[in-house]
Amino acid sequence: MNLKYLYALMGVFLLLAATAAAGSFKAEMDVDTYVDADNADQSFADSDLLWASSQEGQSTKVVYLSFINLFGAQGVFKPEQIASATLALDAAQVDMPGKIKAYFLEGAAFETTTWDNREDYDAGVSSTPVDVDELGSYTWDVTDVVKKAVETCTEGCAYSIVLVAEDDASVAFTSSDVSGNTRPLEYITEE
C-alpha cells in the first residue's frame, strides 16, 4: 500500500474518532431508589415515589439514581468534552417545598441500598439547588457532576446522582417504573 494512502486513511479514522464524541446523549438509568433514616434497614427500589427530605438541616430521605456508563463507547474520555448536562424529573408530591441539590457518587446504587449501607456522595461536586414548590417537571444543571463522572469513570465504573433536600424540604419524585422515563440524564458533548 502506498504510504500516502495509508496517511490519508489514518487521517480519516482520526477525524471520525474526533467527531464521534460530539453530540447529544441520554444516559440509561440502571436503578432508582431512595433511603430513609427512619427505616434504616429497608430498601425502597420498588417504590413508585423517590423521596428527598430533610429536617432541621439533616437529611432524612435521600434519592439515589444509578446510571449505565457508556462514556467510552460514546468517545467521551475527558471532562472537557462535556458541554452541558441536565437531569429532569417529575415532582409527584410536595409535602414541604424547598431546595433539592444533585451530587456525584462514584459507584452504583443497588436495589438493596438502605440508609445503613448507603455510600456517601461527594459533597464537593454538585449542582446548584433547584426550588421544588409544586407538582411538575424540574431540571437540574448537572454539568459538573457528569464531568466528575467522566473524570472518575470513563472506562466503565458505575456512577450515580444523589438528590438531597436542604432546609426542611420534603419532595417525592416519580420513579422510572411509573414515569417510564429511564433516561432522565442528558449530556451534550463537544469535540
Side-chain angles (χ1 to χ4, degrees):
M1 181 182 268
N2 188 332
L3 194 56
K4 185 171 31 174
Y5 292 118
L6 182 61
Y7 284 131
L9 188 58
M10 286 180 15
V12 168
F13 284 131
L14 288 173
L15 182 61
L16 288 173
T19 58
S24 177
F25 302 96
K26 290 192 175 193
E28 188 171 337
M29 192 179 316
D30 187 27
V31 171
D32 59 351
T33 188
Y34 76 96
V35 296
D36 183 348
D38 292 334
N39 298 284
D41 62 350
Q42 187 173 347
S43 169
F44 294 94
D46 59 352
S47 178
D48 291 345
L49 298 177
L50 306 170
W51 284 94
S53 301
S54 62
Q55 291 179 345
E56 298 177 10
Q58 298 296 316
S59 294
T60 57
K61 295 177 184 169
V62 178
V63 176
Y64 285 79
L65 308 171
S66 183
F67 293 93
I68 297 171
N69 182 341
L70 295 175
F71 294 135
Q74 296 163 340
V76 181
F77 298 102
K78 298 177 186 172
E80 302 81 43
Q81 290 177 268
I82 301 296
S84 65
T86 56
L87 175 71
L89 295 172
D90 293 330
Q93 189 171 331
V94 179
D95 288 354
M96 183 67 69
K99 296 182 186 310
I100 308 292
K101 202 170 190 179
Y103 292 90
F104 169 73
L105 170 66
E106 180 180 355
F110 300 103
E111 292 183 357
T112 57
T113 300
T114 67
W115 185 269
D116 284 342
N117 70 13
R118 75 192 187 281
E119 296 291 325
D120 290 332
Y121 55 85
D122 185 339
V125 182
S126 66
S127 70
T128 54
V130 170
D131 281 312
V132 179
D133 54 4
E134 60 185 24
L135 304 184
S137 294
Y138 291 88
T139 303
W140 288 260
D141 179 346
V142 291
T143 305
D144 291 341
V145 173
V146 173
K147 283 184 176 191
K148 184 66 173 182
V150 171
E151 177 186 320
T152 308
C153 304
T154 300
E155 289 303 324
C157 74
Y159 68 97
S160 300
I161 294 178
V162 180
L163 298 179
V164 179
E166 297 183 347
D167 306 319
D168 290 331
S170 184
V171 177
F173 298 97
T174 306
S175 79
S176 61
D177 294 334
V178 173
S179 70
N181 183 13
T182 59
R183 297 173 182 248
L185 174 62
E186 182 174 3
Y187 48 93
I188 297 172
T189 60
E190 56 191 6
E191 295 178 26

